[in-house]
PDB file of all heavy atoms in Angstrom:
ATOM      1  N   PRO A 211     335.570 254.055 142.275  1.00  0.00           N
ATOM      2  CA  PRO A 211     335.668 254.783 143.546  1.00  0.00           C
ATOM      3  C   PRO A 211     334.635 255.909 143.616  1.00  0.00           C
ATOM      4  O   PRO A 211     334.554 256.751 142.727  1.00  0.00           O
ATOM      5  CB  PRO A 211     337.104 255.332 143.527  1.00  0.00           C
ATOM      6  CG  PRO A 211     337.507 255.339 142.101  1.00  0.00           C
ATOM      7  CD  PRO A 211     336.766 254.224 141.435  1.00  0.00           C
ATOM      8  N   ARG A 212     333.842 255.903 144.691  1.00  0.00           N
ATOM      9  CA  ARG A 212     332.798 256.919 144.863  1.00  0.00           C
ATOM     10  C   ARG A 212     333.125 257.909 145.979  1.00  0.00           C
ATOM     11  O   ARG A 212     332.527 258.975 146.064  1.00  0.00           O
ATOM     12  CB  ARG A 212     331.454 256.255 145.199  1.00  0.00           C
ATOM     13  CG  ARG A 212     330.920 255.296 144.157  1.00  0.00           C
ATOM     14  CD  ARG A 212     329.543 254.780 144.548  1.00  0.00           C
ATOM     15  NE  ARG A 212     329.567 254.081 145.846  1.00  0.00           N
ATOM     16  CZ  ARG A 212     329.168 254.615 146.995  1.00  0.00           C
ATOM     17  NH1 ARG A 212     328.728 255.864 147.033  1.00  0.00           N
ATOM     18  NH2 ARG A 212     329.211 253.922 148.117  1.00  0.00           N
ATOM     19  N   LEU A 213     334.060 257.536 146.828  1.00  0.00           N
ATOM     20  CA  LEU A 213     334.367 258.345 148.003  1.00  0.00           C
ATOM     21  C   LEU A 213     335.614 259.180 147.732  1.00  0.00           C
ATOM     22  O   LEU A 213     336.580 258.688 147.144  1.00  0.00           O
ATOM     23  CB  LEU A 213     334.562 257.450 149.220  1.00  0.00           C
ATOM     24  CG  LEU A 213     333.402 256.467 149.487  1.00  0.00           C
ATOM     25  CD1 LEU A 213     333.741 255.517 150.620  1.00  0.00           C
ATOM     26  CD2 LEU A 213     332.118 257.239 149.781  1.00  0.00           C
ATOM     27  N   ALA A 214     335.601 260.431 148.188  1.00  0.00           N
ATOM     28  CA  ALA A 214     336.653 261.367 147.766  1.00  0.00           C
ATOM     29  C   ALA A 214     337.483 261.923 148.914  1.00  0.00           C
ATOM     30  O   ALA A 214     338.356 262.757 148.680  1.00  0.00           O
ATOM     31  CB  ALA A 214     336.022 262.526 146.997  1.00  0.00           C
ATOM     32  N   SER A 215     337.260 261.465 150.136  1.00  0.00           N
ATOM     33  CA  SER A 215     338.040 261.984 151.259  1.00  0.00           C
ATOM     34  C   SER A 215     338.140 260.911 152.344  1.00  0.00           C
ATOM     35  O   SER A 215     337.301 259.998 152.397  1.00  0.00           O
ATOM     36  CB  SER A 215     337.394 263.238 151.845  1.00  0.00           C
ATOM     37  OG  SER A 215     336.204 262.900 152.541  1.00  0.00           O
ATOM     38  N   PRO A 216     339.148 260.999 153.201  1.00  0.00           N
ATOM     39  CA  PRO A 216     339.243 260.044 154.311  1.00  0.00           C
ATOM     40  C   PRO A 216     337.999 260.057 155.188  1.00  0.00           C
ATOM     41  O   PRO A 216     337.544 258.993 155.644  1.00  0.00           O
ATOM     42  CB  PRO A 216     340.478 260.525 155.087  1.00  0.00           C
ATOM     43  CG  PRO A 216     341.286 261.279 154.094  1.00  0.00           C
ATOM     44  CD  PRO A 216     340.307 261.923 153.176  1.00  0.00           C
ATOM     45  N   ALA A 217     337.431 261.234 155.440  1.00  0.00           N
ATOM     46  CA  ALA A 217     336.224 261.329 156.264  1.00  0.00           C
ATOM     47  C   ALA A 217     335.067 260.584 155.621  1.00  0.00           C
ATOM     48  O   ALA A 217     334.276 259.922 156.317  1.00  0.00           O
ATOM     49  CB  ALA A 217     335.860 262.793 156.492  1.00  0.00           C
ATOM     50  N   GLU A 218     334.953 260.662 154.298  1.00  0.00           N
ATOM     51  CA  GLU A 218     333.884 259.941 153.605  1.00  0.00           C
ATOM     52  C   GLU A 218     334.088 258.437 153.711  1.00  0.00           C
ATOM     53  O   GLU A 218     333.127 257.677 153.872  1.00  0.00           O
ATOM     54  CB  GLU A 218     333.826 260.362 152.132  1.00  0.00           C
ATOM     55  CG  GLU A 218     333.272 261.754 151.908  1.00  0.00           C
ATOM     56  CD  GLU A 218     333.164 262.086 150.423  1.00  0.00           C
ATOM     57  OE1 GLU A 218     333.181 261.150 149.600  1.00  0.00           O
ATOM     58  OE2 GLU A 218     333.073 263.284 150.105  1.00  0.00           O
ATOM     59  N   VAL A 219     335.329 257.980 153.638  1.00  0.00           N
ATOM     60  CA  VAL A 219     335.613 256.540 153.742  1.00  0.00           C
ATOM     61  C   VAL A 219     335.229 256.019 155.126  1.00  0.00           C
ATOM     62  O   VAL A 219     334.538 255.001 155.252  1.00  0.00           O
ATOM     63  CB  VAL A 219     337.095 256.249 153.450  1.00  0.00           C
ATOM     64  CG1 VAL A 219     337.411 254.771 153.683  1.00  0.00           C
ATOM     65  CG2 VAL A 219     337.449 256.629 152.014  1.00  0.00           C
ATOM     66  N   SER A 220     335.665 256.706 156.162  1.00  0.00           N
ATOM     67  CA  SER A 220     335.354 256.241 157.513  1.00  0.00           C
ATOM     68  C   SER A 220     333.862 256.330 157.793  1.00  0.00           C
ATOM     69  O   SER A 220     333.280 255.432 158.417  1.00  0.00           O
ATOM     70  CB  SER A 220     336.156 257.019 158.555  1.00  0.00           C
ATOM     71  OG  SER A 220     335.921 258.404 158.454  1.00  0.00           O
ATOM     72  N   ALA A 221     333.200 257.393 157.324  1.00  0.00           N
ATOM     73  CA  ALA A 221     331.757 257.521 157.533  1.00  0.00           C
ATOM     74  C   ALA A 221     331.002 256.408 156.818  1.00  0.00           C
ATOM     75  O   ALA A 221     330.049 255.825 157.370  1.00  0.00           O
ATOM     76  CB  ALA A 221     331.281 258.888 157.056  1.00  0.00           C
ATOM     77  N   ALA A 222     331.415 256.098 155.595  1.00  0.00           N
ATOM     78  CA  ALA A 222     330.754 255.025 154.852  1.00  0.00           C
ATOM     79  C   ALA A 222     330.969 253.676 155.535  1.00  0.00           C
ATOM     80  O   ALA A 222     330.057 252.838 155.589  1.00  0.00           O
ATOM     81  CB  ALA A 222     331.278 254.985 153.410  1.00  0.00           C
ATOM     82  N   ALA A 223     332.160 253.457 156.076  1.00  0.00           N
ATOM     83  CA  ALA A 223     332.432 252.207 156.781  1.00  0.00           C
ATOM     84  C   ALA A 223     331.549 252.077 158.016  1.00  0.00           C
ATOM     85  O   ALA A 223     330.981 251.013 158.287  1.00  0.00           O
ATOM     86  CB  ALA A 223     333.909 252.130 157.169  1.00  0.00           C
ATOM     87  N   LEU A 224     331.414 253.153 158.763  1.00  0.00           N
ATOM     88  CA  LEU A 224     330.581 253.112 159.962  1.00  0.00           C
ATOM     89  C   LEU A 224     329.107 252.934 159.617  1.00  0.00           C
ATOM     90  O   LEU A 224     328.329 252.434 160.437  1.00  0.00           O
ATOM     91  CB  LEU A 224     330.793 254.383 160.787  1.00  0.00           C
ATOM     92  CG  LEU A 224     332.205 254.586 161.345  1.00  0.00           C
ATOM     93  CD1 LEU A 224     332.293 255.868 162.141  1.00  0.00           C
ATOM     94  CD2 LEU A 224     332.631 253.398 162.195  1.00  0.00           C
ATOM     95  N   ALA A 225     328.731 253.335 158.395  1.00  0.00           N
ATOM     96  CA  ALA A 225     327.353 253.146 157.937  1.00  0.00           C
ATOM     97  C   ALA A 225     327.138 251.760 157.328  1.00  0.00           C
ATOM     98  O   ALA A 225     326.013 251.419 156.956  1.00  0.00           O
ATOM     99  CB  ALA A 225     326.988 254.222 156.919  1.00  0.00           C
ATOM    100  N   GLY A 226     328.226 250.957 157.204  1.00  0.00           N
ATOM    101  CA  GLY A 226     328.090 249.585 156.737  1.00  0.00           C
ATOM    102  C   GLY A 226     328.318 249.363 155.264  1.00  0.00           C
ATOM    103  O   GLY A 226     328.069 248.252 154.769  1.00  0.00           O
ATOM    104  N   GLU A 227     328.791 250.361 154.528  1.00  0.00           N
ATOM    105  CA  GLU A 227     329.059 250.183 153.097  1.00  0.00           C
ATOM    106  C   GLU A 227     330.190 249.165 152.938  1.00  0.00           C
ATOM    107  O   GLU A 227     331.275 249.339 153.492  1.00  0.00           O
ATOM    108  CB  GLU A 227     329.452 251.535 152.497  1.00  0.00           C
ATOM    109  CG  GLU A 227     329.350 251.593 150.974  1.00  0.00           C
ATOM    110  CD  GLU A 227     330.560 250.964 150.287  1.00  0.00           C
ATOM    111  OE1 GLU A 227     331.692 251.183 150.758  1.00  0.00           O
ATOM    112  OE2 GLU A 227     330.356 250.254 149.287  1.00  0.00           O
ATOM    113  N   PRO A 228     329.969 248.056 152.202  1.00  0.00           N
ATOM    114  CA  PRO A 228     330.890 246.915 152.238  1.00  0.00           C
ATOM    115  C   PRO A 228     332.335 247.234 151.853  1.00  0.00           C
ATOM    116  O   PRO A 228     333.265 246.765 152.507  1.00  0.00           O
ATOM    117  CB  PRO A 228     330.259 245.922 151.251  1.00  0.00           C
ATOM    118  CG  PRO A 228     328.810 246.270 151.232  1.00  0.00           C
ATOM    119  CD  PRO A 228     328.757 247.768 151.409  1.00  0.00           C
ATOM    120  N   VAL A 229     332.550 247.988 150.780  1.00  0.00           N
ATOM    121  CA  VAL A 229     333.921 248.274 150.362  1.00  0.00           C
ATOM    122  C   VAL A 229     334.629 249.122 151.415  1.00  0.00           C
ATOM    123  O   VAL A 229     335.781 248.860 151.788  1.00  0.00           O
ATOM    124  CB  VAL A 229     333.948 248.984 148.992  1.00  0.00           C
ATOM    125  CG1 VAL A 229     335.374 249.373 148.620  1.00  0.00           C
ATOM    126  CG2 VAL A 229     333.350 248.074 147.914  1.00  0.00           C
ATOM    127  N   ALA A 230     333.942 250.117 151.923  1.00  0.00           N
ATOM    128  CA  ALA A 230     334.543 250.982 152.939  1.00  0.00           C
ATOM    129  C   ALA A 230     334.827 250.200 154.221  1.00  0.00           C
ATOM    130  O   ALA A 230     335.843 250.437 154.883  1.00  0.00           O
ATOM    131  CB  ALA A 230     333.619 252.165 153.238  1.00  0.00           C
ATOM    132  N   VAL A 231     333.943 249.263 154.572  1.00  0.00           N
ATOM    133  CA  VAL A 231     334.181 248.430 155.755  1.00  0.00           C
ATOM    134  C   VAL A 231     335.463 247.626 155.583  1.00  0.00           C
ATOM    135  O   VAL A 231     336.298 247.546 156.495  1.00  0.00           O
ATOM    136  CB  VAL A 231     332.992 247.483 156.012  1.00  0.00           C
ATOM    137  CG1 VAL A 231     333.357 246.416 157.050  1.00  0.00           C
ATOM    138  CG2 VAL A 231     331.775 248.262 156.486  1.00  0.00           C
ATOM    139  N   GLU A 232     335.646 247.044 154.387  1.00  0.00           N
ATOM    140  CA  GLU A 232     336.871 246.271 154.139  1.00  0.00           C
ATOM    141  C   GLU A 232     338.106 247.167 154.243  1.00  0.00           C
ATOM    142  O   GLU A 232     339.135 246.773 154.807  1.00  0.00           O
ATOM    143  CB  GLU A 232     336.829 245.618 152.764  1.00  0.00           C
ATOM    144  CG  GLU A 232     338.088 244.795 152.488  1.00  0.00           C
ATOM    145  CD  GLU A 232     338.240 244.340 151.046  1.00  0.00           C
ATOM    146  OE1 GLU A 232     337.277 244.466 150.273  1.00  0.00           O
ATOM    147  OE2 GLU A 232     339.356 243.869 150.707  1.00  0.00           O
ATOM    148  N   VAL A 233     338.005 248.370 153.699  1.00  0.00           N
ATOM    149  CA  VAL A 233     339.139 249.292 153.723  1.00  0.00           C
ATOM    150  C   VAL A 233     339.502 249.653 155.160  1.00  0.00           C
ATOM    151  O   VAL A 233     340.680 249.608 155.553  1.00  0.00           O
ATOM    152  CB  VAL A 233     338.816 250.556 152.909  1.00  0.00           C
ATOM    153  CG1 VAL A 233     339.883 251.630 153.123  1.00  0.00           C
ATOM    154  CG2 VAL A 233     338.701 250.221 151.427  1.00  0.00           C
ATOM    155  N   LEU A 234     338.520 250.007 155.962  1.00  0.00           N
ATOM    156  CA  LEU A 234     338.805 250.405 157.335  1.00  0.00           C
ATOM    157  C   LEU A 234     339.321 249.226 158.151  1.00  0.00           C
ATOM    158  O   LEU A 234     340.208 249.376 158.994  1.00  0.00           O
ATOM    159  CB  LEU A 234     337.558 251.005 157.981  1.00  0.00           C
ATOM    160  CG  LEU A 234     337.794 251.909 159.193  1.00  0.00           C
ATOM    161  CD1 LEU A 234     338.695 253.082 158.836  1.00  0.00           C
ATOM    162  CD2 LEU A 234     336.470 252.413 159.770  1.00  0.00           C
ATOM    163  N   GLU A 235     338.793 248.038 157.877  1.00  0.00           N
ATOM    164  CA  GLU A 235     339.280 246.829 158.555  1.00  0.00           C
ATOM    165  C   GLU A 235     340.740 246.566 158.182  1.00  0.00           C
ATOM    166  O   GLU A 235     341.564 246.230 159.042  1.00  0.00           O
ATOM    167  CB  GLU A 235     338.411 245.636 158.175  1.00  0.00           C
ATOM    168  CG  GLU A 235     338.875 244.304 158.723  1.00  0.00           C
ATOM    169  CD  GLU A 235     338.821 244.224 160.241  1.00  0.00           C
ATOM    170  OE1 GLU A 235     337.931 244.840 160.847  1.00  0.00           O
ATOM    171  OE2 GLU A 235     339.700 243.548 160.815  1.00  0.00           O
ATOM    172  N   GLN A 236     341.081 246.743 156.911  1.00  0.00           N
ATOM    173  CA  GLN A 236     342.462 246.536 156.481  1.00  0.00           C
ATOM    174  C   GLN A 236     343.387 247.590 157.078  1.00  0.00           C
ATOM    175  O   GLN A 236     344.530 247.286 157.449  1.00  0.00           O
ATOM    176  CB  GLN A 236     342.549 246.573 154.949  1.00  0.00           C
ATOM    177  CG  GLN A 236     343.932 246.283 154.396  1.00  0.00           C
ATOM    178  CD  GLN A 236     344.442 244.912 154.788  1.00  0.00           C
ATOM    179  OE1 GLN A 236     343.845 243.894 154.436  1.00  0.00           O
ATOM    180  NE2 GLN A 236     345.534 244.860 155.538  1.00  0.00           N
ATOM    181  N   PHE A 237     342.907 248.801 157.194  1.00  0.00           N
ATOM    182  CA  PHE A 237     343.666 249.871 157.850  1.00  0.00           C
ATOM    183  C   PHE A 237     344.020 249.454 159.278  1.00  0.00           C
ATOM    184  O   PHE A 237     345.173 249.573 159.715  1.00  0.00           O
ATOM    185  CB  PHE A 237     342.827 251.146 157.849  1.00  0.00           C
ATOM    186  CG  PHE A 237     343.476 252.345 158.482  1.00  0.00           C
ATOM    187  CD1 PHE A 237     344.152 253.281 157.715  1.00  0.00           C
ATOM    188  CD2 PHE A 237     343.387 252.558 159.852  1.00  0.00           C
ATOM    189  CE1 PHE A 237     344.736 254.397 158.292  1.00  0.00           C
ATOM    190  CE2 PHE A 237     343.977 253.665 160.444  1.00  0.00           C
ATOM    191  CZ  PHE A 237     344.648 254.585 159.661  1.00  0.00           C
ATOM    192  N   CYS A 238     343.036 248.950 160.006  1.00  0.00           N
ATOM    193  CA  CYS A 238     343.268 248.528 161.398  1.00  0.00           C
ATOM    194  C   CYS A 238     344.239 247.351 161.456  1.00  0.00           C
ATOM    195  O   CYS A 238     345.103 247.291 162.350  1.00  0.00           O
ATOM    196  CB  CYS A 238     341.937 248.149 162.053  1.00  0.00           C
ATOM    197  SG  CYS A 238     340.766 249.520 162.217  1.00  0.00           S
ATOM    198  N   ALA A 239     344.090 246.417 160.524  1.00  0.00           N
ATOM    199  CA  ALA A 239     344.986 245.256 160.507  1.00  0.00           C
ATOM    200  C   ALA A 239     346.425 245.681 160.235  1.00  0.00           C
ATOM    201  O   ALA A 239     347.363 245.190 160.892  1.00  0.00           O
ATOM    202  CB  ALA A 239     344.516 244.260 159.448  1.00  0.00           C
ATOM    203  N   TRP A 240     346.621 246.591 159.299  1.00  0.00           N
ATOM    204  CA  TRP A 240     347.991 247.034 158.994  1.00  0.00           C
ATOM    205  C   TRP A 240     348.583 247.834 160.156  1.00  0.00           C
ATOM    206  O   TRP A 240     349.768 247.731 160.445  1.00  0.00           O
ATOM    207  CB  TRP A 240     348.024 247.831 157.700  1.00  0.00           C
ATOM    208  CG  TRP A 240     348.704 247.052 156.594  1.00  0.00           C
ATOM    209  CD1 TRP A 240     349.799 246.244 156.724  1.00  0.00           C
ATOM    210  CD2 TRP A 240     348.334 246.996 155.215  1.00  0.00           C
ATOM    211  NE1 TRP A 240     350.139 245.690 155.508  1.00  0.00           N
ATOM    212  CE2 TRP A 240     349.259 246.135 154.564  1.00  0.00           C
ATOM    213  CE3 TRP A 240     347.322 247.585 154.462  1.00  0.00           C
ATOM    214  CZ2 TRP A 240     349.207 245.860 153.199  1.00  0.00           C
ATOM    215  CZ3 TRP A 240     347.271 247.306 153.110  1.00  0.00           C
ATOM    216  CH2 TRP A 240     348.201 246.454 152.478  1.00  0.00           C
ATOM    217  N   LEU A 241     347.750 248.591 160.839  1.00  0.00           N
ATOM    218  CA  LEU A 241     348.240 249.287 162.024  1.00  0.00           C
ATOM    219  C   LEU A 241     348.676 248.274 163.084  1.00  0.00           C
ATOM    220  O   LEU A 241     349.695 248.458 163.758  1.00  0.00           O
ATOM    221  CB  LEU A 241     347.165 250.217 162.581  1.00  0.00           C
ATOM    222  CG  LEU A 241     347.544 251.056 163.801  1.00  0.00           C
ATOM    223  CD1 LEU A 241     348.801 251.892 163.543  1.00  0.00           C
ATOM    224  CD2 LEU A 241     346.383 251.956 164.217  1.00  0.00           C
ATOM    225  N   GLY A 242     347.933 247.194 163.210  1.00  0.00           N
ATOM    226  CA  GLY A 242     348.318 246.133 164.136  1.00  0.00           C
ATOM    227  C   GLY A 242     349.654 245.512 163.782  1.00  0.00           C
ATOM    228  O   GLY A 242     350.493 245.265 164.654  1.00  0.00           O
TER     229      GLY A 242
END
Side-chain angles (χ1 to χ4, degrees):
R212 300 184 301 101
L213 307 174
S215 71
E218 288 183 18
V219 175
S220 57
L224 296 180
E227 197 279 319
V229 176
V231 168
E232 181 191 349
V233 170
L234 201 58
E235 175 65 33
Q236 184 60 62
F237 180 96
C238 296
W240 251 322
L241 182 55

